[in-house]
Amino acid sequence: MALTKDEQRVLDAVPKQLLIGGTWTDGSADQMSVEDPATGETLCQIANATPEDAMKALDAAAAAQHSWKTVAPRERSDILRRAYQLMKDRADDLALLMTMEMGKSLAESKAEITYASEFLRWFSEEAVRINGRWSNEPSGAGRLLTMKQPVGPCLLITPWNFPAAMGTRKIGPAIAAGCTMIVKPASATPLTMLALGEILLEAGLPEGVLSIITSSSTGKVMQPLVQDQRLRKLSFTGSTEVGRLLMEQASQTLLKLSMELGGNAPFIVFEDADLDKAIEQAVVAKMRNMGESCVAANRFYVHSSIAEEFTSRLSDKLGALTVGRGTEDGVDVGPLIDADQQGKVAELVDDAVEKGATVRTGGSKGDGAGYFFKPTVLGDVPANARLLSEEIFGPVAPVASFDTEQEVLDAANGSEFGLVAYVFTSDFSRAIRVLEELEVGMAGLNKGLVSNPAAPFGGVKQSGFGREGGFEGIEEYLETKYIGIDL
Ligand code: NAP
């Protein structure tokens, strides 16, 4: 399928090399290709790093660390603020690029660019508010001083589902704190990050502070970095499986870690909920990013007295969405990222149907060459269906019913994941009771979207640890040094 003039222009403008220590350079290996998931066709070729290329990036990060940490906080703040403005100015082009490589609709890509840029603005404000503490020893004899200092060179590994925001919520605090960094975007969606790299250089980021490595042999290229003593921090967003592997590798050097891993969000609707609102928010919580989001509602638990009405109205809403290439007008739902993801979603739906679930809308792959899956609602989903315990990462809403508060709490907490939950009720006491009992890092009360740069994003249990955004986000990139003072 031929690209439009605009698509070609945006694609031509992206750097296709590695960014090593402030300079765009060719990779030493053969190039790797980037695909359009709506057509399965190749968009372009980009540099493909070897372990040696990646080591050069770490050399640059280690060499630049000392001078970068002495740059005035206001200056670091101004760089972030300029980058925020450049992202806003170029939002349309960045969104088009993201849609081409990732698949989501243009409206969703624009929303992500806004969300992503807000992390740069938030952390430009945090850069000048890094404080220590001065206190008296309890005995009164001496004084206690604590200071916050940058951790040091960081490796930031991001997934393909939010190619910009998962990057800026790591890059923003790393710059604000005074850390140098190597960014490794997902192989499926490297272009948005390469475009962001250019923006950050244009905003005045000094040489060596940021490197960007793209590679098709990710494990081989990353492991030597993770195990190099000069690296001081790894922030990873991705699957729990790869997170576990990286923790094992990082144990060699006791690397400081942040892990933003998988989710399996319950969406709980009590009988006293505002049903119109619950259905409207269910669409948001399920369909944002075609369901390819760690915070996507994965399991809908609806009180048995309203389960049929909820399922029927949600089916009408999802059945009415338009599926297609994200760049086209009027498209709500783009393709999934690749054939594997499409196959996994189909497998989970088939498993639920075999075990007794009913297909209320959708239920199968889309037509045509791309990796489409029809928005799907499944009713009467039995407790042993795999999609109630495995992350779906697709546009499928399984609905199960419950009768008591304790029953739904047990079901919601019966997961190895603990990222986010959504609760719909008009009873304030019940809301507090349930929110206190849920084993999650985040929850939405009568809302289906909690992501916000000013809030601490992160999970518990096997959804990982560490927080991104909010006041907490910058702490992940700072160490506390304590000094005891004898008067
Ligand atoms: P993934 O396969 O774990 O990949 C994530 C990143 O890790 C990619 O950049 C990938 O590179 C890299 N990677 C893969 N193997 C590696 C290795 N051996 N060593 C070092 N890096 C390695 O996850 P994904 O499929 O891209 O993303 C989906 C997952 O991310 C879901 O489970 C989702 O819930 C989770 N997620 C979590 C959050 C959160 O904040 N909690 C946010 C978004 C997504 P390649 O692409 O080159 O393989």
Side-chain angles (χ1 to χ4, degrees):
M1 186 178 142
L3 299 180
T4 65
K5 238 165 93 181
D6 245 5
E7 289 169 7
Q8 195 61 57
R9 174 184 57 77
V10 163
L11 199 58
D12 288 346
V14 189
K16 304 194 178 56
Q17 294 169 296
L18 308 174
L19 179 60
I20 298 189
T23 310
W24 294 104
T25 45
D26 291 328
S28 314
D30 289 345
Q31 294 205 309
M32 57 190 262
S33 49
V34 183
E35 191 180 83
D36 178 345
T39 60
E41 289 172 19
T42 298
L43 285 170
C44 63
Q45 301 285 327
I46 61 165
N48 191 358
T50 59
E52 292 71 32
D53 294 322
M55 205 42 86
K56 282 186 200 147
L58 181 56
D59 294 344
Q65 180 57 62
H66 188 264
S67 63
W68 175 234
K69 81 169 183 184
T70 61
V71 167
R74 176 60 71 201
E75 217 175 297
R76 296 202 299 267
S77 165
D78 287 346
I79 291 168
L80 283 168
R81 182 71 196 204
R82 283 195 293 272
Y84 156 74
Q85 192 56 49
L86 285 167
M87 275 190 83
K88 272 177 79 88
D89 295 347
R90 295 178 197 169
D92 286 348
D93 283 0
L94 288 169
L96 181 56
L97 183 66
M98 188 188 294
T99 291
M100 287 165 72
E101 66 172 345
M102 192 276 166
K104 66 181 94 176
S105 71
L106 269 179
E108 285 214 74
S109 290
K110 278 184 198 164
E112 185 186 335
I113 294 299
T114 301
Y115 175 50
S117 70
E118 286 296 340
F119 282 104
L120 301 184
R121 178 154 72 159
W122 174 264
F123 285 107
S124 82
E125 290 155 354
E126 290 297 283
V128 290
R129 315 212 191 293
I130 300 170
N131 298 314
R133 200 169 73 228
W134 173 261
S135 59
N136 291 348
E137 272 184 17
S139 69
R143 299 293 179 267
L144 313 175
L145 169 68
T146 65
M147 58 177 80
K148 300 277 184 166
Q149 295 187 307
V151 167
C154 303
L155 176 60
L156 314 177
I157 303 182
T158 59
W160 46 262
N161 59 346
F162 292 98
M166 297 303 97
T168 54
R169 72 183 194 179
K170 299 182 192 302
I171 294 169
I175 291 178
C179 297
T180 58
M181 71 211 78
I182 302 156
V183 179
K184 212 305 281 170
S187 308
T189 58
L191 303 177
T192 306
M193 183 51 65
L194 293 169
L196 283 181
E198 196 161 64
I199 282 179
L200 284 157
L201 293 184
E202 220 175 304
L205 203 62
E207 258 184 35
V209 175
L210 169 73
S211 291
I212 302 176
I213 293 294
T214 51
S215 178
S216 62
S217 344
T218 303
K220 226 168 74 192
V221 169
M222 291 294 108
Q223 187 169 359
L225 297 189
V226 173
Q227 297 186 322
D228 191 302
Q229 303 234 21
R230 292 172 299 166
L231 192 77
R232 306 310 293 270
K233 159 99 195 165
L234 166 63
S235 178
F236 172 75
T237 300
S239 61
T240 297
E241 188 190 352
V242 174
R244 277 194 202 105
L245 177 78
L246 288 168
M247 269 188 86
E248 237 175 85
Q249 293 175 3
S251 68
Q252 297 294 311
T253 51
L254 294 177
L255 206 50
K256 190 176 163 86
L257 298 174
S258 305
M259 289 280 158
E260 298 284 352
L261 309 177
N264 185 6
F267 188 105
I268 303 170
V269 188
F270 286 101
E271 66 277 24
D272 53 27
D274 173 341
L275 200 54
D276 291 345
K277 194 170 185 190
I279 289 162
E280 171 206 288
Q281 292 298 302
V283 177
V284 174
K286 180 70 254 180
M287 295 308 298
R288 179 171 173 242
N289 232 35
M290 293 84 77
E292 290 176 315
S293 161
C294 55
V295 289
N298 207 63
R299 307 172 275 159
F300 289 83
Y301 294 115
V302 184
H303 190 266
S304 55
S305 62
I306 51 169
E308 175 48 36
E309 185 181 355
F310 179 91
T311 312
S312 153
R313 288 176 61 186
L314 185 62
S315 306
D316 291 347
K317 292 262 185 206
L318 263 54
L321 296 174
T322 305
V323 181
R325 187 167 188 248
T327 48
E328 285 160 17
D329 284 345
V331 164
D332 304 301
V333 185
L336 298 179
I337 193 69
D338 56 26
D340 282 356
Q341 193 57 34
Q342 188 194 35
K344 188 190 149 202
V345 173
E347 191 182 308
L348 290 176
V349 168
D350 292 348
D351 167 78
V353 172
E354 267 165 37
K355 289 174 178 158
T358 49
V359 177
R360 302 293 295 258
T361 188
S364 59
K365 293 178 185 176
D367 315 313
Y371 310 118
F372 297 98
F373 200 91
K374 293 178 188 155
T376 297
V377 176
L378 301 177
D380 307 314
V381 177
N384 64 344
R386 278 173 55 202
L387 43 55
L388 293 184
S389 54
E390 290 180 36
E391 194 178 27
I392 304 170
F393 243 54
V396 178
V399 185
S401 62
F402 70 91
D403 288 311
T404 67
E405 205 173 293
Q406 192 55 49
E407 185 189 340
V408 76
L409 270 173
D410 290 344
N413 288 338
S415 165
E416 70 201 49
F417 297 109
L419 190 58
V420 66
Y422 305 97
V423 178
F424 286 76
T425 176
S426 56
D427 178 337
F428 185 71
S429 303
R430 164 180 273 165
I432 298 301
R433 244 182 357 252
V434 169
L435 290 167
E436 283 185 355
E437 285 303 319
L438 284 168
E439 296 167 358
V440 288
M442 303 174 283
L445 176 57
N446 295 323
K447 65 187 289 188
L449 178 64
V450 295
S451 307
N452 190 314
F457 189 107
V460 299
K461 295 161 83 176
Q462 294 192 38
S463 290
F465 47 82
R467 293 294 180 266
E468 294 192 314
F471 300 123
E472 292 81 356
I474 198 165
E475 293 296 330
E476 304 279 324
Y477 296 86
L478 294 168
E479 293 282 18
T480 300
K481 185 183 278 178
Y482 149 67
I483 294 138
I485 302 173
D486 182 12
L487 296 186

